[in-house]
Amino acid sequence: MASSSSSGLTFKLHPLVIVNISDHYTRVKSQLNPPPLTSTSATVNGVENQQQAPRVYGCVIGVQRGRTVEIFNSFELLYDPSTHSLDRPFLKKKQELYKKVFPHFYILGWYSTGSDAQESDMHIHRALMDINESPLYVLLNPAINPTQKDLPVTIYESELHVIDGIPQLIFVRSSYTIETVEAERISVDHVAHLKPSDGGSAATQLAAHLTGIHSAIKMLNSRIRVLHHYLVGMQKGDIPCENSLLRQVSSLLRRLPAIESEKFQDDFLMEYNDTLLITYLAMFTNCSSTMNELVDKFNTAYDRHSRRGGRTAFI
Amino acid sequence: MDIEQNQAELIDNFVKQASAQKGTALGSVILEATSHPSLFAFSEILALPTVAELEGTENSVYLKVLQLFAHGTWSDYKSNCSSLPQLVPDQVLKLKQLTVLTLAETNKVLPYDELMMELDVTNVRELEDFLINECMYAGIVRGKLDQLRRCFEIQFAAGRDLRPGQLGSMIQTLSNWLGTSDNLLVSIQEEIKWADTMSELDKKHRKEVEDRVEEVKKSVSVKLQTVSRLKLSSEGSRISTLNLVE
């Protein structure tokens, strides 16, 4: 399997596909019954556990316009481990159903999970070649690697290379970009902002919010630093002056200071004062109700001596 | 910045034309460049050696016109009217557009009166038409017209050609911006730390209060058992004395 770039097609992947594949994998993995852990078979299970990670298979669909391939959606397929191939009648049925709802989408290829493309995948790839002459293979790596910055998704194409005199189909990796529709952007944004549901204390929410702002400002900071460095270089003469860039920078700087009018100060202070006032009022009410409870408890606990008669016996 | 992209081709064209010609022929190129409706950037043409040669010759007026369009405003033209050739209406329009851009450099909110004075426009309607049709639709400014307060709030204005001293002030502004954002980052981190410490203190306080409540509960339940016996006996003697009195 070579890892060179491909035939010049540009790939655009929608986040829906990635979410679908990961959802499929998670569902299958969690439905798999965990193996019984006994001390004697611990070592055996240790070896087996590594191979327990199930592989899921499915189909990706989308549109191909000229040199751009856009992958919109995906659906799951049944894999027959005995024949090492995908269930064809099921695939056909699903294809018809999806055709009715999305008449423009074609089957562009298939997906699977795992860490690297394997030789056995070539069989499935070849099998799909009768639906699409050059299918795509989308591979998701379910291993969570906290140091990794990129998405663990790779797209492979098949190319005919001559190795040892025999023309063979091998997988070559291609680059892709992520493309979002407005609805997808909203849901991805929603997922990214998930806060732990029991971290309801104000401090953790505040800290999370502030951390978000902090990282955003840090990114802005680093980009301005690059611009600054570039301009200083231009001034010293290391870099030839590029007028159109300078014009853009000057128009950008003209937008600063972004918020400084008097009206803004007035509105801002008014809203700030209102919020403080409301918090104060809430605090007040809280305190007075606690005080009330305390007085009631005090009365019940210490006032018994002054009551005439009618003291209930608590035998 | 789409304006820059639109202009890039035009600039290339004019640069090629200008470098191919000299003298009076350059004059016509400059005339064409300054009247073109989408071209607002002239420093590339100014930088050409063939154009710089015009200095001091009888065609230096064209050089002056180009410099006026690169850095000057409508009022500059009016005050130097004698030394500059008559401008074609297209050029007049362009100069007025560039004047608006220059005004946008200093203030973000431009009062109508100032605009009317700078652009030689007498009534508000004409000023607004000019701003809307010539400036906003051309894409060189984006902003809001506030008729009640009679001002024009500018959110975005395209850049004009740079004067040689402006680069230094731009670098200064950028470094100020960097300094402010660095300070902001530090203060946000302090706020996060503060929030965490306060929540820690709050939890500790809550725990302490609960511990004390537990302690008191235990001691009270012990006391109750002893107190109840005493109270019963004293109450019994009191009732018996009352009965005796009755």
Side-chain angles (χ1 to χ4, degrees):
Chain A
M1 269 143 289
S3 329
S4 59
S5 62
S6 72
S7 54
L9 292 173
T10 39
F11 297 106
K12 292 189 185 163
L13 190 61
H14 280 248
L16 180 58
V17 178
I18 306 178
V19 172
N20 275 344
I21 304 178
S22 95
D23 178 58
H24 186 194
Y25 174 74
T26 318
R27 250 183 298 130
V28 170
K29 185 155 175 226
S30 57
Q31 283 168 358
L32 218 50
N33 291 326
L37 285 173
T38 60
S39 52
T40 50
S41 53
T43 45
V44 176
N45 273 338
V47 171
E48 274 183 24
N49 268 335
Q50 283 166 9
Q51 299 160 351
Q52 280 286 350
R55 289 197 75 181
V56 297
Y57 299 88
C59 214
V60 293
I61 59 179
V63 179
Q64 179 160 3
R65 293 189 196 95
R67 306 296 283 171
T68 319
V69 179
E70 203 165 345
I71 307 176
F72 277 96
N73 205 344
S74 64
F75 56 85
E76 303 153 17
L77 288 177
L78 293 171
Y79 178 65
D80 199 353
S82 52
T83 63
H84 287 289
S85 66
L86 300 170
D87 193 345
R88 290 310 285 249
F90 185 72
L91 170 64
K92 265 204 187 353
K93 208 168 71 152
K94 276 284 213 192
Q95 190 182 0
E96 278 169 25
L97 288 175
Y98 270 89
K99 254 307 189 196
K100 283 193 201 144
V101 183
F102 302 109
H104 299 291
F105 289 177
Y106 294 100
I107 291 192
L108 295 176
W110 61 294
Y111 70 78
S112 179
T113 55
S115 51
D116 208 355
Q118 294 166 2
E119 292 294 342
S120 52
D121 298 339
M122 196 41 94
H123 295 288
I124 311 178
H125 205 81
R126 260 188 255 265
L128 273 180
M129 272 175 152
D130 61 343
I131 306 183
N132 183 333
E133 324 78 53
S134 161
L136 301 171
Y137 176 33
V138 180
L139 182 69
L140 175 82
N141 185 0
I144 303 174
N145 187 355
T147 59
Q148 191 182 23
K149 297 264 176 167
D150 301 323
L151 288 172
V153 176
T154 28
I155 298 191
Y156 291 101
E157 271 196 301
S158 59
E159 273 185 7
L160 208 55
H161 279 221
V162 177
I163 303 175
D164 304 327
I166 314 168
Q168 279 181 2
L169 272 181
I170 56 166
F171 284 124
V172 291
R173 196 178 283 193
S174 352
S175 61
Y176 60 92
T177 53
I178 303 278
E179 176 106 353
T180 42
V181 180
E182 194 63 27
E184 286 173 326
R185 195 184 58 77
I186 295 174
S187 43
V188 169
D189 197 51
H190 189 73
V191 169
H193 282 146
L194 272 182
K195 298 200 170 37
S197 51
D198 78 329
S201 86
T204 45
Q205 281 185 345
L206 177 66
H209 184 240
L210 283 179
T211 321
I213 297 185
H214 180 91
S215 34
I217 297 182
K218 206 153 141 202
M219 263 206 296
L220 179 67
N221 198 351
S222 63
R223 281 165 201 178
I224 302 173
R225 207 177 288 276
V226 169
L227 265 182
H228 178 81
H229 201 69
Y230 187 72
L231 281 191
V232 166
M234 224 189 250
Q235 192 182 45
K236 272 196 267 181
D238 301 331
I239 311 171
C241 276
E242 203 191 309
N243 279 308
S244 97
L245 196 77
L246 286 175
R247 278 194 291 271
Q248 288 180 16
V249 174
S250 81
S251 95
L252 176 70
L253 290 179
R254 236 162 290 144
R255 298 183 78 164
L256 297 175
I259 311 173
E260 212 189 71
S261 66
E262 230 179 76
K263 259 194 328 159
F264 171 73
Q265 282 286 74
D266 286 343
D267 286 341
F268 175 63
L269 285 173
M270 215 159 49
E271 212 173 300
Y272 186 53
N273 283 336
D274 283 344
T275 327
L276 285 178
L277 206 63
I278 302 275
T279 327
Y280 191 39
L281 190 64
M283 238 355 98
F284 240 135
T285 320
N286 229 353
C287 274
S288 64
S289 94
T290 321
M291 204 89 91
N292 192 22
E293 277 179 32
L294 177 65
V295 168
D296 283 341
K297 285 179 192 160
F298 192 83
N299 280 341
T300 2
Y302 289 103
D303 236 15
R304 264 183 275 245
H305 304 294
S306 57
R307 258 186 249 147
R308 296 272 135 222
R311 181 177 151 277
T312 53
F314 44 81
I315 305 170
Chain B
M1 306 287 185
D2 358 286
I3 310 168
E4 292 297 328
Q5 282 164 347
N6 292 346
Q7 289 188 102
E9 272 186 45
L10 291 171
I11 294 176
D12 282 335
N13 277 343
F14 280 115
V15 162
K16 279 200 211 89
Q17 280 184 359
S19 46
Q21 300 174 8
K22 280 179 178 247
T24 4
L26 258 186
S28 59
V29 174
I30 292 179
L31 191 66
E32 210 187 310
T34 47
S35 9
H36 198 286
S38 336
L39 183 63
F40 295 99
F42 304 101
S43 47
E44 281 91 348
I45 309 179
L46 254 183
L48 285 176
T50 48
V51 169
E53 275 176 19
L54 282 180
E55 180 78 44
T57 69
E58 68 275 9
N59 290 322
S60 65
V61 277
Y62 291 117
L63 182 63
K64 285 216 191 90
V65 166
L66 198 58
Q67 278 170 340
L68 175 71
F69 270 77
H71 307 305
T73 64
W74 177 244
S75 5
D76 290 342
Y77 173 67
K78 277 191 298 190
S79 42
N80 292 344
C81 215
S82 49
S83 56
L84 296 166
Q86 192 62 23
L87 290 182
V88 175
D90 278 341
Q91 288 178 310
V92 170
L93 180 64
K94 180 168 294 305
L95 195 55
K96 289 192 176 171
Q97 285 172 314
L98 292 170
T99 311
V100 172
L101 284 181
T102 314
L103 285 175
E105 273 177 34
T106 39
N107 290 332
K108 286 184 73 182
V109 175
L110 296 174
Y112 279 359
D113 302 323
E114 193 184 329
L115 278 171
M116 289 203 282
M117 210 176 59
E118 288 283 331
L119 296 173
D120 264 347
V121 168
T122 41
N123 65 351
V124 174
R125 180 60 204 262
E126 227 181 281
L127 175 70
E128 288 183 348
D129 279 342
F130 173 73
L131 282 175
I132 295 173
N133 290 331
E134 314 305 338
C135 301
M136 295 215 232
Y137 284 173
I140 53 175
V141 264
R142 275 201 286 270
K144 294 193 186 164
L145 289 165
D146 189 344
Q147 233 182 20
L148 185 60
R149 285 197 197 81
R150 292 170 61 88
C151 56
F152 177 40
E153 291 176 24
I154 299 182
Q155 285 155 358
F156 161 77
R160 282 198 74 176
D161 298 311
L162 285 183
R163 260 174 277 249
Q166 269 182 302
L167 187 58
S169 62
M170 283 202 326
I171 295 184
Q172 183 66 28
T173 318
L174 270 180
S175 31
N176 282 349
W177 197 3
L178 274 178
T180 320
S181 60
D182 283 331
N183 289 343
L184 194 60
L185 281 177
V186 169
S187 47
I188 290 184
Q189 263 178 329
E190 279 174 20
E191 284 290 314
I192 297 178
K193 253 188 283 192
W194 176 85
D196 285 334
T197 25
M198 289 313 275
S199 78
E200 285 296 307
L201 281 176
D202 191 52
K203 266 193 236 156
K204 250 176 42 183
H205 179 76
R206 222 178 271 269
K207 203 166 151 316
E208 270 175 31
V209 167
E210 277 175 21
D211 287 342
R212 284 179 60 191
V213 165
E214 286 298 323
E215 268 181 55
V216 171
K217 266 197 204 161
K218 279 189 219 134
S219 62
V220 164
S221 58
V222 167
K223 255 198 214 163
L224 265 178
Q225 291 170 9
T226 52
V227 164
S228 66
R229 274 185 239 119
L230 285 171
K231 283 246 159 115
L232 265 181
S233 51
S234 71
E235 182 73 336
S237 59
R238 210 161 58 87
I239 291 178
S240 50
T241 50
L242 277 173
N243 282 337
L244 282 174
V245 167
E246 281 174 1

